[in-house]
Amino acid sequence: MTRFMANELTMKRLWNIVSEIGVNRRMSSQLYRSIVLTNRMTGIAFLTILLYIPVALLFVPTLFLVIILTMALAVLLTFYFNHIKRYNLSRHYLLMLLLAIVGFVSLVLGIKLGANYCLIPLSILPLILFNSRQMAFLYGGFIICIFLVIDLFPVSTPLYSISDNGNLKFLYQLNIATILTLYIVFNFQLRFSADKKISRLIKLNERSEEKNKKIEQSLKYASAIQFNFLPPTKKIREKLPESFVFYRPKDIVSGDFYWMEQVGNKLIVSAVDCTGHGVPGALVSFLGHQALNACVFDYRLDDAGLILDKMTSIIQSRLRKEDNEMLGGMDMSICVLDLSRNKLQFAGANNNLYFLRKKDHTFPEGVLQLEGWDYNFYEIKADRCPIGELIENHSFTTHEISLVQGDTFYIFSDGYADQFGGKDNRKFMSNSFKNLLLTIQDQDMEIQQSILKHVHEDWKGEEEQVDDICVIGIRIT
């Protein structure tokens, strides 16, 4: 009894494995049902074909046995199509193959053996396999038409004739009755078991949705806290009337953040891109925000390079593991504006400074990248080292720039340039970003922000945003 139960459990487990070939958890319940039913009907068709083997061994030549085995193997291809996620192909293939098999048996052996009656249960199959009623009725009607054609216009001389033996006739009738019974029973069983599984999946989905809702609410609360750490737009506009911040997190919380504080006559502005995005990035961003506050207010640093040096020291002490491996870091750029002296200090950890100046003024501090009608585009390179990396005796470079009225400069994370989109679904790239900034220089900063936003959205289209975005633009008035 125990062995029988164990064998039953093994068969049930095997049947479930076969039923779920090509299934994954993220698919819709409709698609899940369709794949499970296709797999199970494939298994039933395979077993049904195997029922003919004993008859073939006794009453037909060996060639027909080979053909039957080939048919059985051909049916198994349906599993392969589901495995490679060609779900629609697998359904059409199974139906057309079963039609071909019944047609072949009727042509070779004639209809007196009753093989054509397999078409009756087969006509139900489209209703089970296809969610589209139109497709199901189209296939069902087609199969009934084939049945009527075979029945009304039988092949007068089959390719192989079996002697009219009473026992043989009884055997075939019994075989056909078995096939019909199998199909009817399994059709109902398939619907019942699939519905049970789907209702279980729906319950699991409902639980998942509830959990996701709670997680989303927590993240939104965390986002509100994170947003509260950012300098208010009103404060930025008071200090820098001609400026903008284009800030767009990839997820609810962000690994990018911007920072601004005034110390005496100096205004310090930074754009920071922390390791990762979402929750991990947001956690590192809180550390980055605290570290910047400590550098400026606790250690009283106002030199751009020295601030980055101290940032590295603080982040290393907080994110370094026992084996000296770092759990995170950040790329960033920082500007120290001394408006009383018209001076700008810049230091960068992997993130460069883009600087645009009217053509009637020289700019010896930067490398000329592009020339426009009225403006030249310069780039000041950052140190090729992130905040937090363990490099001995490394000090960040402070670049000092003399400012003139009308100068515009930008600091940013890599999210804008790295966005995939466009016709060929490729990255926007830094060259396109530079050209865009050059072409919008005759616009005021608020309009520039709007243009950056619309260009990003047009480029991204239906694609997912790949990273957090932070772009800060400042014009000297």
Side-chain angles (χ1 to χ4, degrees):
M1 183 70 178
T2 309
R3 186 180 295 175
F4 174 76
M5 287 174 69
N7 289 339
E8 189 181 7
L9 280 171
T10 304
M11 292 300 291
K12 200 170 182 180
R13 200 174 294 122
L14 180 63
W15 183 246
N16 286 335
I17 290 168
V18 168
S19 299
E20 296 193 349
I21 293 172
V23 165
N24 67 64
R25 295 283 177 193
R26 288 172 293 179
M27 59 179 43
S28 67
S29 57
Q30 268 195 339
L31 182 58
Y32 171 85
R33 176 194 174 112
S34 178
I35 295 165
V36 168
L37 292 174
T38 305
N39 285 331
R40 291 188 173 185
M41 290 310 301
T42 301
I44 292 166
F46 177 73
L47 294 172
T48 305
I49 291 169
L50 292 185
L51 283 175
Y52 277 93
I53 290 176
V55 177
L57 285 169
L58 290 172
F59 303 108
V60 296
T62 310
L63 175 63
F64 288 105
L65 178 62
V66 174
I67 292 170
I68 288 170
L69 288 171
T70 306
M71 289 173 180
L73 292 173
V75 166
L76 294 180
L77 267 176
T78 310
F79 291 134
Y80 172 71
F81 291 136
N82 276 338
H83 176 68
I84 62 171
K85 297 180 173 48
R86 301 295 299 274
Y87 305 127
N88 208 35
L89 174 62
S90 70
R91 283 173 281 178
H92 291 288
Y93 172 79
L94 178 63
L95 274 171
M96 296 310 292
L97 180 65
L98 293 178
L99 275 172
I101 289 170
V102 174
F104 172 78
V105 173
S106 299
L107 179 68
V108 171
L109 301 178
I111 65 166
K112 67 178 180 178
L113 300 175
N116 57 312
Y117 286 100
C118 290
L119 290 170
I120 294 172
L122 195 60
S123 65
I124 305 167
L125 196 54
L127 291 169
I128 299 167
L129 296 184
F130 293 99
N131 294 320
S132 164
R133 290 290 173 199
Q134 187 178 358
M135 182 65 72
F137 285 123
L138 191 68
Y139 259 118
F142 178 60
I143 293 167
I144 293 296
C145 288
I146 291 174
F147 170 76
L148 292 172
V149 168
I150 293 174
D151 198 56
L152 295 173
F153 306 101
V155 177
S156 54
T157 52
L159 296 178
Y160 183 79
S161 181
I162 298 175
S163 57
D164 192 6
N165 181 292
N167 290 331
L168 178 60
K169 190 173 181 182
F170 171 76
L171 181 62
Y172 270 93
Q173 287 172 348
L174 182 65
N175 195 22
I176 297 230
T178 306
I179 291 166
L180 289 169
T181 305
L182 269 174
Y183 268 97
I184 292 165
V185 168
F186 273 113
N187 282 343
F188 283 108
Q189 189 268 336
L190 285 170
R191 281 186 173 277
F192 177 71
S193 62
D195 286 342
K196 266 179 39 178
K197 276 189 176 277
I198 288 165
S199 64
R200 209 177 307 137
L201 272 178
I202 288 168
K203 282 180 185 175
L204 285 171
N205 284 339
E206 283 172 356
R207 282 182 205 157
S208 296
E209 280 173 15
E210 183 135 358
K211 284 180 184 174
N212 288 340
K213 195 175 177 184
K214 287 178 181 175
I215 291 168
E216 191 175 340
Q217 285 171 348
S218 298
L219 287 173
K220 282 180 178 174
Y221 183 60
S223 173
I225 294 169
Q226 186 181 38
F227 192 76
N228 200 48
F229 275 82
L230 300 174
T233 306
K234 186 179 176 185
K235 179 183 174 183
I236 296 171
R237 288 284 166 83
E238 281 174 3
K239 306 292 182 186
L240 298 164
E242 274 294 292
S243 67
F244 71 80
V245 178
F246 178 47
Y247 181 67
R248 178 165 288 186
K250 177 189 184 300
D251 302 309
I252 298 172
V253 289
S254 175
D256 285 9
F257 72 96
Y258 54 96
W259 186 93
M260 187 187 80
E261 290 293 344
Q262 185 163 3
V263 181
N265 291 326
K266 293 180 178 178
L267 195 63
I268 305 171
V269 184
S270 184
V272 188
D273 181 0
C274 300
T275 304
H277 45 74
V279 174
L283 289 172
V284 178
S285 79
F286 285 123
L287 290 176
H289 191 277
Q290 288 178 344
L292 269 170
N293 282 338
C295 290
V296 173
F297 296 113
D298 297 343
Y299 295 99
R300 300 186 179 281
L301 299 174
D302 60 2
D303 178 278
L306 293 178
I307 291 172
L308 295 194
D309 290 337
K310 195 63 188 176
M311 282 282 294
T312 294
S313 173
I314 294 170
I315 295 301
Q316 281 179 1
S317 68
R318 294 183 183 178
L319 291 177
R320 186 193 297 177
K321 295 201 296 185
E322 288 181 7
D323 58 0
N324 275 343
E325 186 185 343
M326 291 297 295
L327 290 170
M330 54 197 73
D331 297 336
M332 64 183 289
S333 43
I334 190 163
C335 293
V336 180
L337 267 166
D338 188 344
L339 296 174
S340 62
R341 294 172 54 235
N342 281 338
K343 294 286 185 183
L344 168 68
Q345 285 183 3
F346 163 75
N350 283 336
N351 288 351
N352 301 337
L353 173 77
Y354 292 167
F355 196 98
L356 289 101
R357 175 169 283 179
K358 288 183 178 178
K359 295 184 95 169
D360 51 0
H361 294 284
T362 59
F363 186 66
E365 299 93 338
V367 178
L368 180 64
Q369 294 283 317
L370 299 166
E371 289 190 59
W373 289 106
D374 299 314
Y375 291 86
N376 284 335
F377 187 106
Y378 301 91
E379 185 171 11
I380 298 179
K381 299 286 186 181
D383 289 59
R384 296 294 96 190
C385 174
I387 299 296
E389 189 164 313
L390 301 169
I391 300 176
E392 279 189 44
N393 302 321
H394 180 270
S395 296
F396 284 94
T397 308
T398 299
H399 304 268
E400 189 163 273
I401 302 161
S402 297
L403 298 170
V404 297
Q405 190 174 8
D407 285 346
T408 310
F409 58 91
Y410 304 87
I411 53 177
F412 44 85
S413 65
D414 58 5
Y416 197 96
D418 282 350
Q419 179 60 49
F420 280 90
K423 254 192 272 183
D424 303 322
N425 193 28
R426 57 181 177 80
K427 284 187 179 182
F428 190 72
M429 303 298 286
S430 56
N431 282 340
S432 300
F433 186 36
K434 290 173 187 177
N435 276 298
L436 174 60
L437 293 175
L438 182 60
T439 57
I440 62 176
Q441 277 316 292
D442 56 342
Q443 304 294 334
D444 65 39
M445 301 307 280
E446 194 174 343
I447 293 174
Q448 284 193 24
Q449 179 185 6
S450 178
I451 292 170
L452 286 176
K453 177 186 171 185
H454 285 106
V455 169
H456 169 75
E457 286 173 351
D458 288 345
W459 178 262
K460 181 168 72 73
E462 298 299 319
E463 294 299 316
E464 185 183 348
Q465 187 174 325
V466 297
D467 201 357
D468 301 313
I469 294 171
C470 180
V471 182
I472 301 173
I474 297 170
R475 177 169 287 165
I476 304 303
T477 54

